[in-house]
Amino acid sequence: MKRAIFPGSFDPLTLGHFDIITRGVTLFDEIIVAIGINADKKYMFSLKERKGFIEKAFANEPKVKVMTYEGLTVDFCKEVDAEFILRGLRNPADFEFEKAIAHTNRHLSTIETVFLLTAASTSYIASSIVRDVIRNNGDYTKLVPDSVRVK
C-alpha cells in the first residue's frame, strides 16, 4: 500500500490544502492528513475544530484519514507505516523552504517527499491570510471548503 502523510497545522483547512489532498488521492492508496501539535504555537481554531473541518470535507473519501501527532514528521511516518510525505508548493519561496525540510527528512530516514504544485486558482491562499480575513470580518468562504465555517 502506498501511504502518504500530508502534514500541517491546517489552521484552518484552505482550498489549497483541499486541492492537494484531492489530487493526492489519485497518486496514493491512502493519505493521512496529519495535524501537527505544537504547544508553542497559538492557533485560531482548536485541534478538535481543525480535525472536524478536514473530516467533514473528506467524509465521502475513504482514502483520506485524519490523525494528530507531536514530534518529528518522519517519526510519525514510521509510526503509521507511511513511505511518503505529500507537500504542496505555491511559489518559489515555498520550494526553497520545503526542499530544505525534504533533504533533512531524507537524511534522517528513507521517507520520500512528493511535491504537487498548487492549482493556479488557489496558489495565493495561505492559512495566515484566511485567519486575517476572518479576524477582520471579511468573506473568507471563497478561500476555504464548505466544511470550514466560523460561528
Side-chain angles (χ1 to χ4, degrees), residues 46-61:
S46 71
L47 181 60
K48 182 179 178 182
E49 287 173 310
R50 289 180 280 144
K51 193 169 189 261
F53 293 153
I54 301 164
E55 288 171 341
K56 187 174 178 185
F58 292 97
N60 296 320
E61 179 48 75

Side-chain angles (χ1 to χ4, degrees), residues 22-48:
T22 300
R23 290 171 40 222
V25 296
T26 67
L27 302 173
F28 300 101
D29 300 313
E30 182 178 76
I31 293 180
I32 298 172
V33 181
I35 305 171
I37 300 170
N38 182 341
D40 295 331
K41 196 169 177 183
K42 196 154 170 108
Y43 298 104
M44 176 176 273
F45 297 96
S46 71
L47 181 60
K48 182 179 178 182

Side-chain angles (χ1 to χ4, degrees), residues 1 6 9 12 17 36 78 81 87-88 95 102 106 110 129 147 149:
M1 172 182 274
F6 184 51
S9 59
H17 297 132
K78 292 173 192 170
D81 199 27
R87 298 298 294 159
F95 174 74
R106 282 289 292 145
T110 60
I129 292 171
S147 65
R149 290 291 181 256

Side-chain angles (χ1 to χ4, degrees), residues 10 31 34 41 53 62 72 78 84 99 109 113 117 128 144:
F10 305 103
I31 293 180
K41 196 169 177 183
F53 293 153
L72 293 176
K78 292 173 192 170
F84 303 94
K99 180 177 75 167
S109 70
T113 301
L117 297 177
S128 59
V144 298

Side-chain angles (χ1 to χ4, degrees), residues 65-83:
K65 309 285 186 254
V66 185
M67 298 177 75
T68 62
Y69 75 102
E70 291 184 72
L72 293 176
T73 302
V74 291
D75 290 341
F76 181 68
C77 286
K78 292 173 192 170
E79 184 182 315
V80 297
D81 199 27
E83 300 173 273

